[in-house]
């Protein structure tokens, strides 16, 4: 085996590893690669990804006269399935309690947590949104004991964090686990050590303990109310579906994500319990929409089973926990799509003698059914939202001239921000991206006029509730069908903005842009030194980027045209869709310029493609 490092086209160091076997028999090898901890070996020839490197020796089995040539991918290029292990705190303080878990949030223990532990703990958590800012006072707003019936207690707590002139609230349940019984994630997310007599353990994120799950579900099953005095109350509420659950004596818990923006766990393969980490005042759109869709019998989203909501003294709701039905699935649409594209790309070069166009069509046919199901299910969701109802929050409305002007102004605002971002691109972006950026900037005024013309053609459309943040990651793949999830809306918006009525075609535009990103992401993860292999793979991905969107739209339109309450007239559909595609691509340009300049070519190409289709290939006229 040998290693070689060299600068790539961006001037960054790349490390290549070659491992070869000159023997006539298979050989197992152990490689000391600890200095490349957390990197992922990517097969340069085939593009396959191997398990990540850790601190222990790396094990490989080589076939007779075989070899592997790996690119050791850095954190920026890790494959979709790889999730880094949460980083534990190095030196944990110790809290001493005499009797109960509830003592942790009292007296000296509470002071230690608020003054010393939490200021170091929070910036390490992915769900904490103000990592880069200076933190002020941190305090527990309250602590509610959750008992599981066997004298095991966890705490439902919220913390308030002063960040500059604003205050943020986070749901941080607490639990205690003994050293010998602590699962790895409970140790990784520990805040402190805890000692009670001779027993030693950890105070950890309660989400990692089964006590928290059973205690929460027990109170939901009782429709319990917990008073917080002058600070309001917490309501634990169930739906009719909750009583239909089978409740075994010992629950089985699979934690999906302790270190995401929210934390979710599957319990007994029946329900998903989600802790909403950042607590925002107002009606939570996911809770509201999930309840509504459950009542309306929409089958392709997880049903609502229960929720935990804190109400302020003035009655303002704050959602803390959601309990929804578990849908057995093959993963979310984003990961599933990338896996499909990477496998299909490998298959596309397996037989060079096969006609490539026919082979690509055959390979893509395995995805067509999912794209069609996705369009059909989204349209059926929009059909429910467009139907008459006596619930004000879901009553559809016909757009007004002011609505259309507002949609045009919103698109123009994003275009202006995109043009501003394109004016400060780093010198490291490829020349073709720079030329494309100049072309888009040159069309700045023409794009203003285009947005206004497209919006003006939207008369007769409806404003309804929408998903609000729709992309492949918001879909579960279930036997080729699609289940729609995560109705929270865009995290950067207020609760009122997320609940606002808009055009359902915003969701359609979001999915079309997601197809474009999936193709680009898959292309970036395929590595080959063969021009023929690269060309065949790129042609397959280009076919996906065009065909997936076409199949999705055709299926969507079929439901729209058959609806008793169509939410957009046929004459207005394409114009409004183009308006929202324009707005979405412009938003993505600004996002990529601020966060991932190397990716800016994806939305830039999308926006330029729309502009060229609607304005022509030459210089666009000014307003």
């Amino acid at each position: 085996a040998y290693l070689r490092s060299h600068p790539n086209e961006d001037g960054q160091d790349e490390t290549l590893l070659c491992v070869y076997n000159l023997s006539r028999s298979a050989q197992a090898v152990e490689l000391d690669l600890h200095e490349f901890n957390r990197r992922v070996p990517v097969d340069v020839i085939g593009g396959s990804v191997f398990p990540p490197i850790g601190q222990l020796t790396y094990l490989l089995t080589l076939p007779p006269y075989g070899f592997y040539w790996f690119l050791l991918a850095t954190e920026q290029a890790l494959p979709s399935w790889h999730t880094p292990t949460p980083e534990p705190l190095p030196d944990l303080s110790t809290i001493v309690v005499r009797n109960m878990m509830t003592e942790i949030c009292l007296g000296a223990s509470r002071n230690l947590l608020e003054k010393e532990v939490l200021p170091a703990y929070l910036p390490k958590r992915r769900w904490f949104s103000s990592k880069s800012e200076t933190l002020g006072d941190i305090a527990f707003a309250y602590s509610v004991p959750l008992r599981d019936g066997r004298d095991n207690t966890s705490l439902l707590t919220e913390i308030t964090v002063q960040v500059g002139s604003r205050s943020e609230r986070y749901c941080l349940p607490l639990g205690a686990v003994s050293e010998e019984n602590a699962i790895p994630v409970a140790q990784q997310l520990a805040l402190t050590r805890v000692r009670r007599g001779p027993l030693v353990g950890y105070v950890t994120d309660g989400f990692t303990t089964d006590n928290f799950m059973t205690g929460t579900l027990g109170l939901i099953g009782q429709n319990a109310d917990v008073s917080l005095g002058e600070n309001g109350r917490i309501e634990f509420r169930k739906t009719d579906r909750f009583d239909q659950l089978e409740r075994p004596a010992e629950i089985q818990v699979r934690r999906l994500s302790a270190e995401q923006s929210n934390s979710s766990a599957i319990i007994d393969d029946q329900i998903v319990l989600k802790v909403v980490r950042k607590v925002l005042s107002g009606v939570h759109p996911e809770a509201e929409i999930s309840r509504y869709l459950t009542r309306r019998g929409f089958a392709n989203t997880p049903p609502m089973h229960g929720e935990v909501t804190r109400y302020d003294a003035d009655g303002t709701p704050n959602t803390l926990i959601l309990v929804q039905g578990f849908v057995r699935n093959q993963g979310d649409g984003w990961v599933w799509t990338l896996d499909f594209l990477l496998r299909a790309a490998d298959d596309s070069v397996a037989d060079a003698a096969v006609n490539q166009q026919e082979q690509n069509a055959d390979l893509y046919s395995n995805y067509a059914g999912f794209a069609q199901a996705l369009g059909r299910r989204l349209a059926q969701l929009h059909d429910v939202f467009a139907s008459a109802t006596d619930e004000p929050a879901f009553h559809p409305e016909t757009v007004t001239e002011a609505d259309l002007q507002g949609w045009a102004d919103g698109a123009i605002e994003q275009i202006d921000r995109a043009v501003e971002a394109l004016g400060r691109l780093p010198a490291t972006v490829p020349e073709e991206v720079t030329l494309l950026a100049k072309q888009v900037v040159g069309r700045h005024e023409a794009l203003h006029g285009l947005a206004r013309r497209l919006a003006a053609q939207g008369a007769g459309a409806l404003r309804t509730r929408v998903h609000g943040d729709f992309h492949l990651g918001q879909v579960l793949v279930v036997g080729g069908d699609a289940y729609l999830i995560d109705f929270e809306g865009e995290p950067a918006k207020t609760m009122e903005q997320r609940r606002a009525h808009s055009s359902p075609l915003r969701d359609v535009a979001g999915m079309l842009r997601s197809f474009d990103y999936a193709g680009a992401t898959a292309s970036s993860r395929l590595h080959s030194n063969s021009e023929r292999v690269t060309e065949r793979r790129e042609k397959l991905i280009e076919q996906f980027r065009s065909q997936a969107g076409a199949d999705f739209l055709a299926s969507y339109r079929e439901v729209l045209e058959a609806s008793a309450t169509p939410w957009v007239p046929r004459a207005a559909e394409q114009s409004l869709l183009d308006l929202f595609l324009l707005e979405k691509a412009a938003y993505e340009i600004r996002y990529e310029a601020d966060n991932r300049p190397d990716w800016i070519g994806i939305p830039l190409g999308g926006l330029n493609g729309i502009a060229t289709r609607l304005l022509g290939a030459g210089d666009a006229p000014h307003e």
Side-chain angles (χ1 to χ4, degrees), residues 1-2 17-23 25-33 41 50 56-70:
Y2 68 89
L17 168 66
C18 184
V19 188
Y20 52 91
N21 176 19
L22 300 182
S23 166
S25 59
Q27 297 291 328
V29 296
E30 298 185 23
L31 304 176
D32 182 6
L33 301 174
F50 282 61
L56 302 178
T57 55
Y58 198 82
L59 305 179
L60 282 173
T61 299
L62 293 146
Y65 303 109
F67 72 96
Y68 286 117
W69 187 9
F70 294 118

Side-chain angles (χ1 to χ4, degrees), residues 248-266:
E250 295 290 337
I251 66 169
Q252 299 294 321
V253 181
R254 287 187 287 139
R255 292 166 181 84
L256 300 179
S257 51
E259 285 287 85
Q260 304 296 323
S261 56
N262 295 311
S263 300
S264 299
I266 299 171

Side-chain angles (χ1 to χ4, degrees), residues 332-379:
D332 69 60
W334 175 258
V335 173
W336 191 83
T337 296
L338 288 185
D339 288 344
F340 163 80
L341 287 173
L342 295 176
R343 290 195 308 270
D346 282 341
D347 292 343
S348 71
V349 299
D351 189 348
V354 176
N355 178 280
Q356 185 183 357
Q357 186 173 356
E358 294 179 1
Q359 184 189 41
N360 285 353
D362 183 58
L363 289 170
Y364 171 76
S365 66
N366 296 322
Y367 192 87
F370 173 67
Q372 293 161 5
L374 186 52
R376 181 167 56 255
R377 298 312 184 189
L378 179 62

Side-chain angles (χ1 to χ4, degrees), residues 33 46 49 85 161 194 263 400 405 425 438 446 591-592 594 608:
L33 301 174
V49 290
T85 301
V161 184
V194 63
S263 300
T400 64
Q405 182 61 52
L425 287 180
K438 290 180 179 178
Y591 176 86
E592 300 298 6
D594 291 340
N608 188 65

Side-chain angles (χ1 to χ4, degrees), residues 60-267:
L60 282 173
T61 299
L62 293 146
Y65 303 109
F67 72 96
Y68 286 117
W69 187 9
F70 294 118
L71 169 68
L72 303 186
T74 59
E75 191 75 22
Q76 291 75 23
L78 291 178
S80 58
W81 49 260
H82 177 72
T83 302
T85 301
E87 179 185 354
L89 291 176
D91 296 314
L92 298 179
S93 304
T94 299
I95 289 176
V96 179
V97 296
R98 293 184 177 181
N99 297 304
M100 297 294 293
M101 171 73 183
T102 51
E103 296 178 33
I104 288 174
C105 287
L106 299 175
S109 297
R110 173 172 178 162
N111 188 66
L112 175 68
L113 289 170
E114 292 178 340
K115 304 299 182 186
E116 298 183 25
V117 175
L118 288 172
Y121 184 83
L122 292 178
K124 294 179 180 291
R125 304 283 71 84
R126 183 171 176 178
W127 45 259
F128 183 67
S129 61
S130 300
K131 300 177 183 63
S132 59
E133 300 184 63
T134 302
L135 306 185
D137 291 340
I138 301 174
F140 286 99
Y142 62 83
S143 63
V144 172
L146 303 175
R147 294 182 173 85
D148 67 354
R150 289 173 294 182
D151 199 30
N152 295 317
T153 303
S154 57
L155 297 176
L156 176 61
T157 74
E158 279 182 72
I159 55 173
T160 60
V161 184
Q162 197 66 31
V163 184
S165 60
R166 70 183 187 276
S167 180
E168 297 178 348
R169 291 183 76 126
Y170 294 87
C171 185
L172 177 59
L174 297 178
V177 293
S178 63
E179 281 187 324
E180 60 270 20
N181 294 327
I183 61 176
V185 70
Q187 297 180 29
Q188 293 157 0
L189 298 181
L191 287 82
T192 69
R193 291 184 178 276
V194 63
R195 182 165 61 83
R196 179 184 175 189
L199 303 177
V200 178
Y202 300 97
V203 174
T204 188
D205 188 329
F207 175 79
T208 68
T209 70
D210 290 355
N211 305 336
F212 169 71
M213 305 296 174
T214 54
T216 299
L217 294 177
L219 290 177
I220 289 175
Q222 299 168 27
N223 277 330
D225 290 328
V226 176
S227 174
L228 300 177
E230 61 183 20
N231 294 318
R233 70 188 188 281
I234 298 179
E235 291 186 358
F236 296 77
R237 291 293 181 266
K238 63 181 177 179
T239 69
D240 293 341
R241 288 177 176 263
F242 187 88
D243 290 328
Q244 300 172 16
L245 297 172
E246 296 181 7
R247 300 289 302 279
E250 295 290 337
I251 66 169
Q252 299 294 321
V253 181
R254 287 187 287 139
R255 292 166 181 84
L256 300 179
S257 51
E259 285 287 85
Q260 304 296 323
S261 56
N262 295 311
S263 300
S264 299
I266 299 171
I267 301 176

Side-chain angles (χ1 to χ4, degrees), residues 417-616:
R417 292 183 177 183
V419 168
E420 179 186 356
L422 291 175
R424 48 182 169 81
L425 287 180
T428 55
V429 300
E431 182 180 358
E432 61 269 21
V433 173
T434 301
L435 294 175
L436 198 59
K438 290 180 179 178
Q439 187 173 351
V440 168
V441 171
R443 286 173 156 171
H444 186 188
E445 295 299 321
L447 290 171
H448 279 199
L450 176 60
R452 292 196 177 99
R453 290 193 298 275
L454 292 172
Q457 298 177 53
L462 296 183
R463 291 172 60 247
T464 72
R465 291 298 290 267
V466 296
H467 183 284
D469 187 25
F470 199 58
H471 52 78
L472 284 166
Q474 310 288 45
V475 180
L476 295 179
V477 183
V478 182
D481 203 349
Y483 275 64
L484 315 186
I485 59 173
D486 289 344
F487 293 92
E488 292 185 63
E490 294 184 26
K493 292 184 176 180
T494 65
M495 288 299 196
E496 291 75 14
Q497 290 172 328
R498 299 186 205 182
R499 298 177 64 227
H501 285 45
S502 188
S503 170
L505 295 181
R506 286 188 186 274
D507 291 340
V508 178
M511 183 53 63
L512 292 175
R513 294 297 310 137
S514 191
F515 285 137
D516 193 34
Y517 263 82
T521 302
S523 181
S524 72
R525 293 183 180 177
L526 295 170
H527 303 271
S528 176
N529 289 343
S530 167
E531 291 184 9
R532 181 187 66 81
V533 169
T534 299
E535 180 183 359
R536 292 177 73 92
R537 286 172 168 173
E538 288 300 329
K539 285 183 177 179
L540 170 69
I541 290 175
E542 277 306 310
Q543 178 172 351
F544 161 81
R545 291 167 90 164
S546 61
Q547 193 63 44
D551 287 339
F552 165 77
L553 276 177
S555 188
Y556 181 89
R557 285 169 173 153
E558 185 177 338
V559 176
L560 170 61
E561 292 171 3
S563 173
T565 54
W567 46 96
V568 59
R570 181 177 298 182
E573 180 203 341
Q574 189 59 54
S575 295
L576 287 181
L577 180 56
D578 284 334
L579 174 69
F580 298 127
L581 283 170
L582 196 68
E583 180 183 42
K584 183 70 172 176
Y587 166 81
E588 291 167 352
I589 287 174
R590 180 169 62 90
Y591 176 86
E592 300 298 6
D594 291 340
N595 297 279
R596 301 183 299 187
D598 292 346
W599 286 73
I600 202 167
I602 302 172
L604 187 57
L607 189 148
N608 188 65
I610 300 167
T612 298
R613 173 165 56 85
L614 298 175
L615 296 173

